[in-house]
């Protein structure tokens, strides 16, 4: 018997609703509302590039136009309701998930020592662990600039780090240190007991419990997923762990197998909670407003999934030499309703108070007529204000380039 099918339109609708992009972007964007939003989407990826604004701020602003970065700083640095660590990359997470991250800390300590020695070309950082922990305990938080100033950097290794910098990162990845705040995006490290609340630090979870939690919560947030997508969501458990969980949950009737239709009509087997197809059918369509998304938005983080679901091929070209770039250094996807309608190359020049637009590339079959251009301009005006600019400028030739590209 063939499994039931989730149509592409219903799959898009469900996926966007689970990522808080399927509804009008309203709410105060601070305090409890901001915490609930981050918990809903799971985590917010942190990225250093601020062509317009940093990724984590753009992710939250796309869902809460009232959001301002100070609200996130308060939850991270004062209220301690969030913490920063790794998923697939550096991310901001609800502090409630911290007990599950203990397994990541232990795995790092147990399995990464030889790899780090090879990357760094030495084991000099290991002799710095106690020294750094003692210094922080005695004098308080530190940055990498405040330790190891006179140390030689590694040569020929993966990173050009001095031993104390490598030690700080190792201790953070092992859970001995935590990031207490960022100063101009520079990490400030402190002892974990000074950052993570005691009630959270005292909690322990068995690994089997963490596997169940990771798969269940990933399925909650994705709506539908393969076992590989469940494993990749938090990047906390192995693909085999997720495959075994899906097998057991399916045999016990806790999840169901369905076929999800891609943008090209192809079907792909996925798993859902019982009742998901009925839920997807009843969901309203997303609002028609146009939103600028960060390249690291959770809805697009899995590039292959985004391509299957939306027919949207996207790759970051930051590290591609300029003459070989197809689009631009850091190009932003444009979401309208349940479609990715284009991508835009823009940059904020805060010292001049202007957001400059260099190019716009509509997706195949999409035209930017008067109505869509008006929606784009409204969103650009909003983003300019968010980035600390007071106006938007379109560079000469941008319109010719975009409509003929």
């Amino acid at each position: 018997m063939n499994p039931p099918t989730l149509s592409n339109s219903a799959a898009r609708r469900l996926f966007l609703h689970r990522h808080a992009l399927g509804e009008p972007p309203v709410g105060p964007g601070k305090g409890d509302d901001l915490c609930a939003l981050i918990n809903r989407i799971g985590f917010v990826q942190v990225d250093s590039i601020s062509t317009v604004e940093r990724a984590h701020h753009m992710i939250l602003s796309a869902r809460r136009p009232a959001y301002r970065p100070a609200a996130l700083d308060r939850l991270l640095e004062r209220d301690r309701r969030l913490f920063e660590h790794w998923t697939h990359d550096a991310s901001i997470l609800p502090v409630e998930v911290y007990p599950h991250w203990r397994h990541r800390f232990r795995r790092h300590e147990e399995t990464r020592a030889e790899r780090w020695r090879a990357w760094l070309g030495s084991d000099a950082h290991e002799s710095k662990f106690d020294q750094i922990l003692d210094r922080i305990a005695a004098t308080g938080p530190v940055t990498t600039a405040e330790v190891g100033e006179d140390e030689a950097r590694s040569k020929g290794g993966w990173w050009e780090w001095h031993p104390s910098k490598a030690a700080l990162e190792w201790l953070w990845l092992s859970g001995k240190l935590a990031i207490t705040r960022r100063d101009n995006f520079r990490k400030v490290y402190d002892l974990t007991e000074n950052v993570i609340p005691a009630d959270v630090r005292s909690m322990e979870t068995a690994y089997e419990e963490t596997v169940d939690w990771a798969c269940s919560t990933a399925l909650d947030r994705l709506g539908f997923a393969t076992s590989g997508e469940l494993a990749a969501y938090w990047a906390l458990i192995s693909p085999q762990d997720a495959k075994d969980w899906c097998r057991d949950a399916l045999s016990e009737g806790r999840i169901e197998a369905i076929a999800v239709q891609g943008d090209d009509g192809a079907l792909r087997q996925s798993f859902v909670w019982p009742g998901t197809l009925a839920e997807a059918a009843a969901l309203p369509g997303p609002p028609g407003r146009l939103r600028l998304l960060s390249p690291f938005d959770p809805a697009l983080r899995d590039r292959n999934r985004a391509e299957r679901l939306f027919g949207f091929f996207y790759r970051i070209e930051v590290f591609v030499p300029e003459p070989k770039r197809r689009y631009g250094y850091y190009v932003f996807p444009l979401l309208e309703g349940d479609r990715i309608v284009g991508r835009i190359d823009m940059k904020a020049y805060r010292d001049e108070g202007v957001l400059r637009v260099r190019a716009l590339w509509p997706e195949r079959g999409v035209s930017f007529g008067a109505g869509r251009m008006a929606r784009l301009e409204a969103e650009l005006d909003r983003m300019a204000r968010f980035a600390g600019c007071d106006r938007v400028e379109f560079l000469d030739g941008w319109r010719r380039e975009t409509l003929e590209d």
Side-chain angles (χ1 to χ4, degrees):
M1 182 181 298
N2 294 327
T5 298
L6 182 65
S7 70
N8 181 247
S9 60
R12 291 186 191 204
R13 194 162 58 240
L14 175 64
F15 185 64
L16 290 173
H17 272 273
R18 295 295 175 94
H19 283 77
L21 290 170
E23 61 212 37
V26 297
K30 59 183 177 181
D32 290 343
D33 176 65
L34 186 58
C35 257
L37 173 62
I38 293 172
N39 185 63
R40 177 176 174 181
I41 59 180
F43 55 86
V44 179
Q45 182 173 338
V46 176
D47 188 69
S48 62
I49 298 174
S50 57
T51 303
V52 175
E53 248 300 359
R54 300 198 193 279
H56 43 297
H57 298 316
M58 289 195 68
I59 290 167
L60 297 171
S61 177
R63 294 155 172 81
R64 295 291 188 272
Y67 164 78
R68 295 296 179 268
L72 185 65
D73 292 342
R74 180 171 180 166
L75 293 174
L76 271 165
E77 299 171 11
R78 197 196 76 168
D79 299 343
R80 302 301 189 192
R81 298 175 67 179
L82 306 169
F83 76 106
E84 183 179 334
H85 217 274
W86 278 79
T87 52
H88 67 292
D89 210 318
S91 300
I92 293 167
L93 300 123
V95 75
E96 290 81 7
V97 313
Y98 185 85
H100 297 290
W101 256 247
R102 291 181 180 278
H103 299 292
R104 179 188 290 275
F105 303 154
R106 295 188 190 109
R107 185 164 61 244
H108 180 80
E109 284 197 284
E110 292 168 358
T111 65
R112 298 300 178 95
E114 288 300 326
R115 189 179 302 178
W116 271 55
R117 290 168 191 153
W119 281 338
L120 295 167
S122 82
D123 60 359
H125 63 291
E126 296 175 7
S127 66
K128 301 292 183 179
F129 293 163
D130 290 341
Q131 177 183 328
I132 286 176
L133 292 170
D134 290 344
R135 171 174 173 171
I136 294 175
T139 64
V142 299
T143 66
T144 56
E146 295 168 334
V147 298
E149 299 93 338
D150 57 349
E151 297 174 3
R153 295 180 180 273
S154 62
K155 296 185 182 298
W158 194 48
W159 299 298
E160 290 188 356
W161 286 356
H162 56 67
S164 290
K165 160 66 174 173
L168 280 172
E169 285 291 303
W170 176 275
L171 292 167
W172 173 55
L173 293 171
S174 302
K176 304 292 193 305
L177 296 178
I179 296 173
T180 186
R181 66 180 186 277
R182 282 184 181 254
D183 290 343
N184 295 322
F185 206 68
R186 179 179 291 168
K187 294 175 186 172
V188 182
Y189 302 85
D190 199 355
L191 300 179
T192 298
E193 54 263 36
N194 294 335
V195 178
I196 305 299
D199 59 334
V200 175
R201 284 188 288 108
S202 66
M203 296 175 63
E204 292 281 351
T205 62
Y207 186 67
E208 294 75 15
E209 181 182 350
T210 288
V211 169
D212 183 64
W213 172 86
C215 291
S216 297
T217 54
L219 190 54
D220 288 342
R221 288 159 177 79
L222 293 171
F224 52 89
T226 65
S227 64
E229 289 169 340
L230 294 181
Y233 184 82
W234 298 106
L236 187 62
I237 62 173
S238 73
Q240 188 61 51
D241 290 331
K243 186 177 293 187
D244 292 344
W245 182 88
C246 288
R247 179 200 62 216
D248 294 343
L250 186 63
S251 68
E252 296 164 5
R254 292 189 287 130
I255 61 173
E256 297 175 349
I258 66 165
V260 178
Q261 184 183 47
D263 177 74
D264 62 357
L267 299 178
R268 181 182 177 88
Q269 180 176 303
S270 292
F271 299 105
V272 296
W273 295 118
T276 296
L277 269 66
E279 175 193 350
L283 285 171
R289 69 176 292 157
L290 195 148
R291 307 191 211 206
L292 287 159
L293 298 183
S294 162
F296 299 109
D297 195 281
L300 303 174
R301 177 185 68 82
D302 185 334
R303 307 294 191 212
N304 293 330
R305 183 180 173 102
E307 188 172 359
R308 288 196 305 270
L309 195 58
F310 297 101
F312 181 67
F313 178 85
Y314 185 89
R315 296 295 184 270
I316 287 282
E317 296 184 288
V318 168
F319 301 110
V320 176
E322 186 170 2
K324 295 184 178 181
R325 289 176 188 149
R326 182 177 179 186
Y327 297 108
Y329 174 79
Y330 197 81
V331 174
F332 299 86
L334 298 171
L335 174 70
E336 184 182 52
D338 68 350
R339 300 175 68 196
I340 307 294
V341 296
R343 61 196 85 198
I344 191 166
D345 187 359
M346 59 184 182
K347 183 176 180 179
Y349 294 84
R350 294 174 183 80
D351 56 339
E352 301 176 47
V354 60
L355 177 69
R356 290 198 174 99
V357 178
R358 189 187 73 81
L360 166 71
W361 295 270
E363 287 296 285
R364 184 175 301 169
V366 176
S367 62
F368 273 72
R372 184 168 281 134
M373 280 302 303
R375 290 191 291 277
L376 174 61
E377 289 169 3
E379 179 70 351
L380 288 170
D381 286 341
R382 184 190 75 81
M383 185 53 61
R385 294 192 300 273
F386 183 66
C389 300
D390 55 24
R391 67 190 189 280
V392 177
E393 289 182 359
F394 297 87
L395 295 181
D396 291 343
W398 84 276
R399 200 171 181 82
R400 175 187 58 77
E401 174 184 349
T402 59
L403 298 182
E404 294 180 4
D405 191 280

